[in-house]
Amino acid sequence: MKPEDLLLLVTRSMPYGKYKGRLIADLPGNYLNWFAREGFPPGEIGRLLQLMQEIDHNGLSGLLIPLRQPR
């Protein structure tokens, strides 16, 4: 993980699927867990989904709150 990945979670939108257009940080846990079971897509989106699933699974979503604030 790179530190800038945390900022991408609150700025990058899901590019496809049921939750297309929703911020990765706002994806529901059950959707992230489905990817964990079935396999994450390749590339940056898969890396970000995997990171968000780990954050959500470990109850650390609150760490992203300060990153959502306007700079």
Side-chain angles (χ1 to χ4, degrees):
M1 181 197 88
K2 299 180 283 184
E4 52 272 11
D5 287 346
L6 295 175
L7 187 57
L8 288 176
L9 294 176
V10 298
T11 57
R12 187 71 44 92
S13 297
M14 187 65 184
Y16 55 81
K18 182 177 183 178
Y19 295 101
K20 180 179 179 177
R22 189 179 288 194
L23 291 177
I24 293 174
D26 294 337
L27 294 172
N30 62 341
Y31 188 64
L32 297 167
N33 292 335
W34 179 85
F35 277 111
R37 286 189 309 274
E38 300 296 323
F40 292 99
E44 181 184 61
I45 190 67
R47 183 171 48 83
L48 293 174
L49 289 169
Q50 186 173 13
L51 174 59
M52 191 61 224
Q53 192 274 336
E54 285 292 325
I55 289 171
D56 183 71
H57 178 75
N58 290 297
L60 300 173
S61 296
L63 294 174
L64 300 175
I65 292 171
L67 298 175
R68 293 177 184 265
Q69 304 303 320
R71 294 183 169 250

